[in-house]
Amino acid sequence: MEQPLKTEYRGPVEYSVEIALEKIGNLLTQSYGLSKRTIGLLLLQDDREIAELVGKKELDHLAQIEEIIRDAKIHYSYPVEYEIAMERQEEVRRIASRVVRKKRGKEPFAETLSRLTMNPVTGIPILFLVLYVGLYKFVGAFGAGTVVNFLEGTVFEGHINPYVIKIVSLIIPWNAIRELIAGQYGLVTLGVRYAVALILPIVTLFFIVFAVIEDSGYLPRLAMLIDRSFKKIGLSGRAVIPMVLGLGCATMATMVTRTLPTKRERLISTMLLSLAVPCSAQLGVILALLEGRPHAVLLWGGVIGLVFLFIGYLTAKILPGERPSFYMEVPPLRMPQLYNIIVKTYGRVKWYFKEIMPLFLLASVIIWIGQITRTFDLVIALLRAPVSWIGLPDEAAPIFLFGFFRRDYGAAGLFDLNKAGALSGVQLVVASIALTLFLPCIAQFLMNIKERGLKTALGITFFVLFFSFTVAFAVNFVLGNLGVTL
Amino acid sequence: MKNMKKIAIVGSPNVGKSVLFGNLTGRYVIVSNYPGTTVEVTRGVAKIGGEEFEITDTPGMYSLLPITEEESVARRILIQEKPDIVLHVIDAKNLERMLPLTLQIIEAGMPTMLVLNMLDEAAAAGIEVDSALLGKELGISVIRTVCTDGTGMEELRKRITAYGTASENRV
């Protein structure tokens, strides 16, 4: 049998990877279960686990090893991991070209599609198509439209609510308790109704879309596609996953920002998730709200998109730090398996519901307390002024307060207000923009504190509060002066 | 399972690792979380050529430089448990995406055998792989299999038996 293959890494002539590997290899004295060559390669690629291990085992040589690594990196214009991956891939290509024979000259469809998704010219239209079909049509029109209308209108308002209200008014003599259970913001009439009729279908459909995107292998391709644009806003392609997940649940996404390698990227993505990434529940309700007004949807999407890029760019400029580097192995495209999707979606929906159902009920109770103690009236009175600046009627003030308890709560309140025919097209767009940008929900706020610390979380919150109204004011001002009707 | 030789099955997700694991082991299977993680690892015992081996089905990995928790766990298993044989299972349709990990495992000094799997799908896609030449290029054993219908399992068992003792092979 021959000797196992040795892959050579050349790199820059004056200081190749091989030189660094040899130097590091000479300094390693312990055994690791991996060859010295591999240990050296992993150290050069900033592998944290291996660095710790070597740090513990090679106390005498650690400083020297670190110096070799620093020294080697100076000679590279690309990140070392990229350089190494490229040379390895070249070796693989050489071997594959010798041993693989393709009978039909035709490229398999999956390969063609894979290339198309990563090429900016075709990839960006494909991204829009995915968003349009997956989010707008499936989650928005079908989920937030058809399914919600049925559950909300027919099931709850047609059957459950009248029944609950009747029973409660028969058996409970105290008005305050009646309100708690079956009032305008009651546990059943609001808490359970929003959770089951609005949020459940929307979130379930979003998680189905996310599972399909995840299992098909589209996410890493999307990461490659938008890596370059994301670098302008201080992020790398890696941040695609928390951002796309944020379209489902921003609280969950904030937790996932942990996977980003630098503190700076984590901070920027937390900021963007709090400000400009609507979650699926909110997205669903807003899309339902703007249904039948395509210009309004475009305007809303355009403003949110601009804010996302502008704030990302600004934060990246203000925050000091290196530009992130990013390289990812792209797995093959695959047809997602129905069974996998069902299992994943079920698990996520279950997790999500266990987290949010208590919050919904709690929110109902807090709102009830706030109302009978009249604290809310005070806060709502305070909110009236900014709400009227952005051209909305007084009745919209509570929506912003409740929006803090759940993002979609606010949007759902807007939904109710619109059903009563109280809003014009422009007002709808302005309100949707303000609510999308407005404070993250209380769960996300708590997650921000947990992940980024109290000071940063409060800073983000105040900025978002101020910024959301400023943007809404500007949009309302411009639309009003141009005499636009939507 | 103290004195048994160890075999680790590695490879990227969806290349047939678990099917191969099932073919080799049979009834005695333990599924447990890897300590300190939520990642599940499946272990079992296989009788090959009259000798018992402890087989570990590692979580999917694309590279020895881990990005996901699954990849970290797979690598930790390789480092800490020092398997006597590492079976790298690959999708024969997609050598260019599969071989980088093979090179890395060989580079790490692991006693590697390459399981060239899904040859039926490769044939359907019009792809042919010269496994003898591939073995020569890599300097390791290459076994041709279709794990789902059992093709190549006999050959794999024979090569495992013939592979010799760990101490001779391990760097």
Side-chain angles (χ1 to χ4, degrees):
Chain A
M1 186 109 242
E2 305 84 352
Q3 274 298 306
L5 174 79
K6 185 177 169 195
T7 316
E8 301 270 347
Y9 302 96
R10 289 174 300 272
V13 207
E14 72 278 13
Y15 201 125
S16 75
V17 177
E18 293 296 335
I19 297 175
L21 286 179
E22 201 187 319
K23 285 188 180 173
I24 295 172
N26 288 337
L27 291 169
L28 295 173
T29 55
Q30 308 293 315
S31 90
Y32 293 91
L34 292 172
S35 65
K36 288 179 179 177
R37 192 172 171 77
T38 293
I39 294 288
L41 283 167
L42 291 170
L43 287 174
L44 280 170
Q45 296 175 89
D46 289 325
D47 187 303
R48 226 183 289 168
E49 205 175 319
I50 297 297
E52 259 171 46
L53 196 67
V54 172
K56 263 184 240 154
K57 286 193 174 187
E58 311 280 353
L59 284 174
D60 300 339
H61 298 133
L62 189 60
Q64 275 168 283
I65 293 174
E66 281 173 349
E67 202 190 318
I68 295 169
I69 292 167
R70 261 199 310 276
D71 217 34
K73 280 186 185 168
I74 296 172
H75 297 272
Y76 287 80
S77 40
Y78 296 109
V80 186
E81 63 263 36
Y82 180 79
E83 192 72 48
I84 291 173
M86 278 310 166
E87 298 209 19
R88 187 178 288 136
Q89 193 64 50
E90 210 167 287
E91 176 76 357
V92 165
R93 236 174 262 141
R94 184 188 66 77
I95 298 173
S97 69
R98 297 195 60 191
V99 303
V100 177
R101 203 132 294 138
K102 282 189 185 138
K103 266 198 252 159
R104 289 157 227 160
K106 229 180 73 190
E107 184 180 39
F109 175 67
E111 282 297 314
T112 317
L113 189 62
S114 167
R115 230 167 4 85
L116 292 179
T117 55
M118 289 189 280
N119 180 337
V121 179
T122 44
I124 288 167
I126 291 176
L127 171 61
F128 277 103
L129 189 72
V130 169
L131 291 178
Y132 177 76
V133 175
L135 285 185
Y136 186 71
K137 276 293 178 196
F138 189 65
V139 180
F142 175 66
T146 316
V147 181
V148 168
N149 280 346
F150 172 73
L151 286 175
E152 255 258 283
T154 315
V155 178
F156 266 88
E157 288 184 355
H159 298 281
I160 299 179
N161 281 2
Y163 187 71
V164 171
I165 292 170
K166 213 165 103 190
I167 300 250
V168 165
S169 58
L170 269 178
I171 58 171
I172 296 173
W174 309 282
N175 199 35
I177 305 291
R178 275 188 202 163
E179 280 290 313
L180 174 66
I181 298 171
Q184 195 189 349
Y185 301 104
L187 282 172
V188 176
T189 39
L190 182 126
V192 178
R193 175 169 68 101
Y194 277 6
V196 175
L198 269 172
I199 310 311
L200 176 67
I202 293 172
V203 167
T204 307
L205 292 188
F206 175 83
F207 282 141
I208 292 176
V209 173
F210 190 76
V212 170
I213 291 179
E214 197 182 24
D215 281 11
S216 65
Y218 183 59
L219 278 181
R221 288 176 172 75
L222 184 58
M224 288 303 218
L225 174 71
I226 64 178
D227 184 45
R228 197 174 303 166
S229 339
F230 262 36
K231 287 215 167 109
K232 296 235 161 55
I233 59 171
L235 296 173
S236 71
R238 221 185 297 254
V240 159
I241 292 166
M243 290 302 153
V244 175
L245 204 55
L247 292 172
C249 173
T251 308
M252 194 151 98
T254 305
M255 204 165 80
V256 171
T257 56
R258 270 185 220 166
T259 58
L260 300 176
T262 66
K263 204 175 157 193
R264 180 167 179 260
E265 281 176 84
R266 291 195 287 270
L267 184 59
I268 294 175
S269 44
T270 306
M271 174 78 197
L272 290 173
L273 282 169
S274 298
L275 180 69
V277 180
C279 68
S280 67
Q282 190 183 30
L283 201 62
V285 184
I286 283 175
L287 289 177
L289 200 64
L290 301 178
E291 209 194 331
R293 300 174 198 260
H295 292 111
V297 176
L298 277 182
L299 188 65
W300 169 81
V303 172
I304 301 298
L306 276 180
V307 167
F308 181 89
L309 294 177
F310 175 70
I311 293 300
Y313 178 76
L314 213 63
T315 334
K317 276 265 171 277
I318 294 169
L319 284 178
E322 277 174 48
R323 285 173 50 148
S325 71
F326 168 68
Y327 176 79
M328 196 184 234
E329 310 257 347
V330 179
L333 276 181
R334 265 172 216 287
M335 190 51 87
Q337 300 292 308
L338 184 64
Y339 177 75
N340 270 352
I341 289 173
I342 293 171
V343 170
K344 273 188 186 175
T345 307
Y346 173 75
R348 283 176 181 149
V349 169
K350 205 172 98 181
W351 172 84
Y352 187 72
F353 246 64
K354 236 171 52 195
E355 297 287 305
I356 71 152
M357 194 63 181
L359 278 174
F360 266 95
L361 297 179
L362 184 68
S364 279
V365 174
I366 293 176
I367 294 172
W368 174 73
I369 293 171
Q371 287 200 315
I372 55 171
T373 58
R374 309 225 159 243
T375 339
F376 270 25
D377 292 351
L378 192 75
V379 181
I380 290 169
L382 283 175
L383 277 170
R384 283 226 173 92
V387 164
S388 73
W389 291 335
I390 64 171
L392 295 181
D394 284 354
E395 296 85 49
I399 291 168
F400 285 89
L401 176 61
F402 300 147
F404 177 62
F405 287 97
R406 292 285 313 163
R407 283 175 163 211
D408 40 273
Y409 238 52
L414 205 58
F415 190 75
D416 284 350
L417 201 59
N418 184 46
K419 262 201 311 209
L423 297 167
S424 73
V426 171
Q427 283 176 322
L428 269 179
V429 171
V430 171
S432 301
I433 290 171
L435 264 179
T436 309
L437 299 178
F438 193 64
L439 294 184
C441 69
I442 195 158
Q444 193 185 354
F445 175 67
L446 294 174
M447 188 60 77
N448 281 354
I449 295 179
K450 200 171 141 217
E451 295 289 315
R452 297 292 95 82
L454 183 63
K455 227 171 75 187
T456 313
L458 282 178
I460 290 177
T461 304
F462 280 115
F463 174 76
V464 168
L465 188 61
F466 166 78
F467 193 78
S468 59
F469 276 101
T470 312
V471 172
F473 176 80
V475 172
N476 183 49
F477 185 78
V478 171
L479 291 182
N481 280 324
L482 291 177
V484 178
T485 51
L486 290 162
Chain B
M1 299 193 195
K2 261 279 142 61
N3 299 314
M4 265 182 243
K5 281 188 190 161
K6 292 177 188 159
I7 296 178
I9 302 176
V10 303
S12 50
N14 306 322
V15 291
K17 288 191 302 296
S18 306
V19 184
L20 175 62
F21 176 84
N23 287 351
L24 291 177
T25 53
R27 280 196 298 160
Y28 305 102
V29 167
I30 305 163
V31 180
S32 60
N33 278 0
Y34 194 78
T37 68
T38 55
V39 178
E40 279 183 350
V41 176
T42 316
R43 297 171 199 275
V45 173
K47 202 157 192 179
I48 300 171
E51 190 180 354
E52 288 196 323
F53 289 86
E54 184 196 336
I55 317 263
T56 307
D57 185 12
T58 67
M61 71 192 306
Y62 292 101
S63 158
L64 267 193
L65 183 69
I67 295 176
T68 63
E69 199 181 18
E70 281 81 6
E71 289 182 302
S72 298
V73 169
R75 189 176 77 178
R76 252 176 266 163
I77 291 173
L78 291 180
I79 295 179
Q80 288 166 4
E81 302 183 7
K82 300 189 171 48
D84 300 275
I85 298 177
V86 175
L87 294 179
H88 183 203
V89 187
I90 66 169
D91 176 352
K93 297 194 296 297
N94 218 331
L95 243 52
E96 292 210 9
R97 290 232 174 75
M98 300 284 142
L99 290 183
L101 181 60
T102 320
L103 298 194
Q104 291 176 67
I105 302 172
I106 294 174
E107 192 168 69
M110 308 265 170
T112 317
M113 290 169 86
L114 192 64
V115 179
L116 191 60
N117 193 27
M118 299 169 125
L119 279 166
D120 53 337
E121 291 184 18
I127 296 167
E128 257 176 35
V129 181
D130 182 343
S131 48
L133 185 58
L134 181 59
K136 229 179 190 167
E137 285 279 349
L138 296 173
I140 60 173
S141 290
V142 177
I143 300 103
R144 302 173 67 91
T145 65
V146 179
C147 289
T148 43
D149 69 10
T151 306
M153 291 301 120
E154 262 329 293
E155 178 65 19
L156 178 63
R157 288 199 180 87
K158 262 190 239 161
R159 299 273 194 111
I160 289 173
T161 310
Y163 200 82
T165 53
S167 45
E168 285 161 16
N169 285 298
R170 202 164 168 95
V171 175

